[in-house]
Amino acid sequence: MIETLQSLRFIFVMMIFLSHFAYRDISAFDAGGDCGVAFFFILSGFVCSLSYGKRLREGQFSYGDFLWKRVRKLYPLHLFCLLFYLLVSHAPLDLKVLLNALLLQSWIPDADWYFSCNKVSWFLSSLLFCYLVFPWVYRHLSKYLTLIILTAYIAVYCLTPYDRVNAVLYVFPAVRFVDFYIGMLLCQFYEQKKALVFPKGTELWLMLVLLLTLAVYPFVDAKLRNAPLYWVVLIPLILVFVQEKGLVSRVLKTRPMLFLGSLTMPLFLTHQMIIGILIHRLPEMPVMLMLAVCVFVALIISWGVQIIFSRLLRLGSYKGRDK
């Protein structure tokens, strides 16, 4: 992955982290959660198109190989987190657990189902759908398909009642595919306009606009918060940072930031459970100290998990070559 984008992943996963941290008089940073999720869907569409677009255009794409690479990166870690949840919570083995194991929970428009077990795994459920349809959609990218998808999204947006916003606009896989599709369109534009030149300081201005967007979140309609609010800033942000120029990009390309970026997926999948355990098990302490402890422990655990699963992936690759 492009280095600046890898490091940006850590920044946005920390936004999601803060959206799940509520302690004493500090409420959860809901704006960061919605923004982070939108970023990862858009980035996934962008990266998939960047990595596989040429092969799809030239007829050298293997659907099975593509899915296998995606699933083997996500699924073992997902099952590990699900098992950890079951061991800690002593939850019964029921249909909810089965749907979580199969990453189908996001298709059930009920919070008791799509936020069951390891709650954040709903994202993987919706992302898996995006991966499944990506090759077909990429082959049919056109102005007409874009018009159809955006028209359908607007219709769903308008018809969704406010008490179903989370179930439909925030979680439901077919709706979140719109964010993924925006990433695909963004990649297409990037490949056609690689020589784009942005004024000096654009990165800093975009980060400021992002902060302002997060600040106005509480005053924006609940439907807009789920994704459209952030499209305006996330689209140019990715397009600018993929150029890897500017002061912020130089910071993002440092070894510490790249290392933190490599921990994104294990941190995403484990952080909510870790926060919950630490807040309930540790003695009461100042808010910032509790936050620091939660972040530190989450990073250490994510690092260990990353090492274990990276080695397992390499081992699986070696065995595959031997065959």
Side-chain angles (χ1 to χ4, degrees):
M1 178 182 290
I2 295 169
E3 291 182 336
T4 49
L5 298 184
Q6 176 171 318
S7 297
L8 274 177
R9 291 166 71 229
F10 175 73
I11 293 175
F12 283 93
V13 83
M14 286 307 300
M15 289 187 186
I16 296 172
F17 185 104
L18 293 174
S19 75
H20 295 135
F21 180 84
Y23 186 67
R24 294 175 61 179
D25 56 342
I26 298 296
S27 57
F29 182 46
D30 292 333
D34 290 355
C35 181
V37 167
F39 170 80
F40 282 110
F41 274 116
I42 295 173
L43 182 65
S44 296
F46 182 88
V47 172
C48 277
S49 299
L50 195 61
S51 301
Y52 292 94
K54 183 177 180 181
R55 287 181 238 182
L56 279 161
R57 293 191 298 269
E58 296 177 353
Q60 299 175 348
F61 177 83
S62 169
Y63 189 62
D65 183 60
F66 166 76
L67 283 182
W68 170 244
K69 287 181 178 179
R70 305 278 76 72
V71 170
R72 74 171 188 167
K73 285 183 178 180
L74 302 177
Y75 205 68
L77 180 57
H78 160 62
L79 291 180
F80 169 80
C81 292
L82 178 59
L83 178 60
F84 178 78
Y85 164 82
L86 293 173
L87 291 174
V88 171
S89 66
H90 306 290
L93 296 175
D94 55 16
L95 184 57
K96 290 179 182 176
V97 175
L98 177 60
L99 288 180
N100 270 265
L102 298 174
L103 289 177
L104 295 173
Q105 69 270 36
S106 290
W107 292 97
I108 309 298
D110 186 318
D112 289 338
W113 290 80
Y114 57 73
F115 284 158
S116 60
C117 299
N118 184 20
K119 295 181 180 181
V120 296
S121 64
W122 75 263
F123 173 80
L124 298 186
S125 176
S126 296
L127 184 62
L128 181 60
F129 169 75
C130 295
Y131 288 154
L132 288 170
V133 301
F134 161 71
W136 182 89
V137 174
Y138 189 91
R139 290 190 180 101
H140 294 83
L141 274 178
S142 65
K143 294 179 181 179
Y144 301 107
L145 181 59
T146 300
L147 180 62
I148 291 171
I149 289 177
L150 292 182
T151 301
Y153 182 84
I154 292 171
V156 172
Y157 177 95
C158 294
L159 294 173
T160 299
Y162 280 93
D163 62 345
R164 306 297 289 167
V165 165
N166 264 359
V168 178
L169 298 179
Y170 186 65
V171 170
F172 199 67
V175 175
R176 289 321 301 243
F177 178 75
V178 176
D179 300 76
F180 189 92
Y181 185 76
I182 288 173
M184 295 171 64
L185 294 177
L186 183 60
C187 181
Q188 187 181 59
F189 178 79
Y190 165 70
E191 290 181 322
Q192 293 172 354
K193 308 286 185 178
K194 281 187 177 180
L196 280 174
V197 177
F198 296 94
K200 187 176 181 180
T202 301
E203 293 179 345
L204 291 172
W205 280 110
L206 280 173
M207 298 303 284
L208 178 60
V209 172
L210 177 62
L211 291 175
L212 291 174
T213 306
L214 294 170
V216 302
Y217 174 91
F219 311 103
V220 175
D221 184 86
K223 292 183 181 181
L224 279 174
R225 296 174 186 173
N226 287 281
L229 172 64
Y230 300 106
W231 290 347
V232 176
V233 63
L234 291 177
I235 290 172
L237 186 139
I238 292 175
L239 193 60
V240 167
F241 278 98
V242 77
Q243 308 289 331
E244 298 189 295
K245 299 176 181 178
L247 175 62
V248 182
S249 284
R250 287 198 292 272
V251 174
L252 293 175
K253 293 172 71 175
T254 58
R255 292 184 66 182
M257 287 303 301
L258 291 173
F259 167 73
L260 292 172
S262 70
L263 303 181
T264 299
M265 187 52 69
L267 180 59
F268 174 78
L269 285 177
T270 60
H271 78 274
Q272 192 171 19
M273 292 187 290
I274 293 170
I275 290 172
I277 292 171
L278 292 177
I279 286 179
H280 288 94
R281 299 293 176 87
L282 293 179
E284 189 169 312
M285 60 183 72
V287 173
M288 295 310 296
L289 179 57
M290 175 60 80
L291 176 59
V293 170
C294 288
V295 171
F296 177 76
V297 173
L299 287 175
I300 293 298
I301 291 176
S302 299
W303 187 18
V305 170
Q306 175 73 357
I307 290 172
I308 292 170
F309 281 91
S310 293
R311 290 179 178 175
L312 289 175
L313 280 174
R314 285 198 296 268
L315 181 61
S317 298
Y318 291 145
K319 286 185 177 180
R321 291 171 189 169
D322 291 341
K323 291 179 181 180

